[in-house]
Amino acid sequence: MLTYKLDVEERSTWIRTTPGEHELAQPFWATEEGTFYAHREFFTERTEKDSYELFYTFDGEGTLEQNGRTVTLRPGSALLIDCRTPQRYRTRAGAERWYHLWAHIDGPGVAAMAATLDVGTPRPVDLAEPVVRRQFAAIAANLELPGILPAAVVGLAIHTLLAEMVGAAQAGSESALGDEAVRRACELIERAYAEPLTLDDLARTAQVSKSYLLKLFRQNLGTTPYDHLLRYRITRAKELLAETDYKVGKIASLVGFNSESNFSYRFSQMVGQSPRAYRESCPVALTAR
């Protein structure tokens, strides 16, 4: 369900497109983009739309309500929301205008960035207007054009905007505690990856709760502690496969797997080839150390 009032100036813009097969195969794409010079009565209330929406305020003020939280969108603030959850946004009560850039975006890359930004709890971040303007201009100029290159330009612009937001969010939120906790947990992984580490072990070393550590890993590394541990083990296994003639079963044990079959499954899943195939693809096989 959608309720709205487009109290916007005539110079406002709204571009729409329908992504094709190529665009939908990319990590980042857009379906709509616009610049709204909105006045005091502008508002949108929506129960659901199958996309994310990115806002950037360059003059005036707006407000957004979602998941029981209300945030103010001031000049210089950027915000990403998941439109699959009901939301309401409008020119802030008492404000004369809310001039903002916006785009409906989606794709697996957007979803990954959204998890890192914790969009379930809307929090605007501050971005420099020239940076945002440049990327939105690239989206607007290419969104309706056919072809692989325009789609790539749009995707790169979206990726750049979201990367800037992730950087701003990490720099501005609980950075000292978060960075230190993640650092401690990562150091334990690097030191004891061959041992049967648990989330309890990592949280205890990081000196935070398990739930908070999971949140910090998502915000800082874009992954979970378990997946980070798994990737570290597989990377160490690659080194052993390339630089030694150890049997696969021994390598599995050395990097923390309890069985060769589990190791081979995980390795193949993450690398795209079996441990033996990976070893055969390496240019040099050194003797066992």
Side-chain angles (χ1 to χ4, degrees):
M1 180 178 175
L2 175 66
T3 306
Y4 63 91
K5 183 169 184 177
L6 288 182
D7 183 17
V8 299
E9 297 178 17
E10 289 187 3
R11 56 176 171 160
S12 299
T13 61
W14 188 340
I15 303 172
R16 301 175 179 87
T17 190
T18 302
E21 183 178 348
H22 174 76
E23 286 82 6
L24 296 177
Q26 305 305 311
F28 305 90
W29 71 78
T31 58
E32 302 175 51
E33 187 274 344
T35 303
F36 276 2
Y37 295 89
H39 289 183
R40 64 174 66 185
E41 295 184 17
F42 170 85
F43 82 92
T44 296
E45 186 169 359
R46 180 190 295 121
T47 56
E48 183 180 9
K49 185 178 177 70
D50 192 21
S51 73
Y52 295 89
E53 187 166 8
L54 176 61
F55 298 93
Y56 182 78
T57 300
F58 58 91
D59 194 11
E61 292 186 346
T63 58
L64 177 129
E65 302 169 31
Q66 190 177 48
N67 295 330
R69 181 180 174 88
T70 301
V71 295
T72 300
L73 306 175
R74 297 183 174 87
S77 67
L79 178 70
L80 180 70
I81 66 168
D82 187 347
C83 293
R84 298 165 184 87
T85 301
Q87 77 267 188
R88 175 184 173 89
Y89 49 88
R90 57 170 299 143
T91 303
R92 185 183 64 77
E96 293 294 321
R97 61 190 176 277
W98 178 31
Y99 293 173
H100 59 281
L101 305 165
W102 61 271
H104 281 288
I105 60 177
D106 215 333
V110 179
M113 291 289 205
T116 301
L117 289 166
D118 191 19
V119 296
T121 308
R123 291 189 184 89
V125 297
D126 290 332
L127 295 183
E129 185 172 338
V131 173
V132 177
R133 288 276 192 186
R134 186 161 53 249
Q135 303 309 325
F136 265 92
I139 295 172
N142 289 274
L143 190 58
E144 296 179 295
L145 299 179
I148 294 174
L149 181 57
V153 172
V154 170
L156 180 59
I158 295 170
H159 192 183
T160 300
L161 285 166
L162 295 180
E164 291 284 346
M165 292 180 67
V166 169
Q170 291 182 353
S173 64
E174 309 169 55
S175 57
L177 173 60
D179 290 349
E180 181 63 18
V182 171
R183 183 188 65 79
R184 290 194 191 106
C186 289
E187 285 182 350
L188 178 60
I189 287 173
E190 294 171 11
R191 185 170 65 249
Y193 63 89
E195 300 175 15
L197 291 175
T198 67
L199 183 58
D200 284 309
D201 297 327
L202 295 171
R204 190 180 307 112
T205 298
Q207 300 176 17
V208 295
S209 69
K210 291 186 290 185
S211 60
Y212 190 49
L213 184 62
L214 287 168
K215 178 180 179 180
L216 289 174
F217 262 73
R218 278 293 182 197
Q219 289 179 339
N220 287 271
L221 302 183
T223 187
T224 65
Y226 175 74
D227 285 343
H228 185 69
L229 169 62
L230 193 58
R231 288 172 56 199
Y232 195 84
R233 285 172 169 169
I234 295 299
T235 300
R236 300 288 76 77
K238 284 181 175 180
E239 293 174 351
L240 292 171
L241 286 165
E243 299 174 8
T244 78
D245 59 3
Y246 293 160
K247 294 185 180 299
V248 172
K250 180 175 181 178
I251 291 175
S253 176
L254 287 173
V255 298
F257 287 86
N258 56 13
S259 73
E260 181 178 343
S261 61
N262 183 32
F263 166 68
S264 295
Y265 170 77
R266 290 292 189 182
F267 190 97
S268 300
Q269 184 183 50
M270 297 180 70
V271 179
Q273 57 186 162
S274 70
R276 288 182 174 83
Y278 178 82
R279 169 171 272 167
E280 292 171 358
S281 73
C282 295
V284 178
L286 303 180
T287 57
R289 291 179 294 186

